[in-house]
Amino acid sequence: MKTLLAAIIALCATCSVASANGWRIYRIPESGTSVDIPASIFTEPAGKPDGYGQRFRSSDGSADLTVQAAENQQGLSPAEFLASKNPPTGIIYRRITSSFFVVSSIKRDKIWYNRCNFARGYVHCVLINYPAAQKRRWDAVVTRISHSLRGG
């Protein structure tokens, strides 16, 4: 019973970050990129990134999300592409495979999370920044965004 109650409380904390009906698919037609985004959180457009895509911001300004795609004209591998961006030192989480990379760390009071998938001549990326103090509340949101990222 205690385990069930703990699970319900954890689920409700996640619900306060993104309600179940607040998700939508964002697509970049030029590259075929698609990703689930919590439209109930990222309610404001915040400009265009390099390449194709859109930046979004939460209404209180505490979090932002960038969905972008860029042509991989040089055919760089995920490891080569990441190295070419001169990532900051002190990365806490790093996973690099032949088809994607994920890096994450903390800067000031924010967690930054970056995942890029490599498919069909493009680099398809999501970049998320959110309050470090709310990490547990954001874990399920970040996981869904990351796992839903598709390209081409």
Side-chain angles (χ1 to χ4, degrees):
M1 184 67 173
K2 285 184 180 181
T3 304
L4 179 60
L5 184 57
I8 290 170
I9 290 169
L11 182 60
C12 288
T14 302
C15 292
S16 68
V17 173
S19 64
N21 62 359
W23 289 84
R24 69 179 177 93
I25 298 173
Y26 176 79
R27 296 186 198 294
I28 302 174
E30 297 88 349
S31 64
T33 306
S34 68
V35 65
D36 292 351
I37 65 169
S40 59
I41 296 173
F42 297 110
T43 57
E44 301 178 17
K48 297 282 187 186
D50 293 337
Y52 305 105
Q54 181 68 50
R55 287 189 177 107
F56 303 92
R57 182 178 21 245
S58 62
S59 62
D60 66 1
S62 69
D64 60 79
L65 165 68
T66 301
V67 181
Q68 81 183 109
E71 291 185 60
N72 188 3
Q73 295 174 343
Q74 297 175 321
L76 298 175
S77 70
E80 293 167 332
F81 183 86
L82 180 59
S84 76
K85 297 298 180 183
N86 298 314
T89 58
I91 291 174
I92 294 172
Y93 179 77
R94 176 189 320 248
R95 180 168 180 216
I96 303 171
T97 74
S98 61
S99 60
F100 73 90
F101 71 79
V102 176
V103 288
S104 183
S105 196
I106 299 173
K107 184 175 183 179
R108 297 184 191 97
D109 62 345
K110 301 251 183 175
I111 294 176
W112 59 267
Y113 176 93
N114 184 356
R115 178 182 180 126
C116 292
N117 293 350
F118 290 66
R120 303 187 69 188
Y122 284 91
V123 181
H124 312 269
C125 299
V126 290
L127 300 89
I128 310 165
N129 297 288
Y130 57 95
Q134 297 176 9
K135 181 190 179 309
R136 295 187 109 195
R137 291 179 55 200
W138 279 88
D139 282 346
V141 172
V142 172
T143 298
R144 178 167 173 180
I145 292 169
S146 179
H147 289 175
S148 72
L149 180 63
R150 301 282 180 264

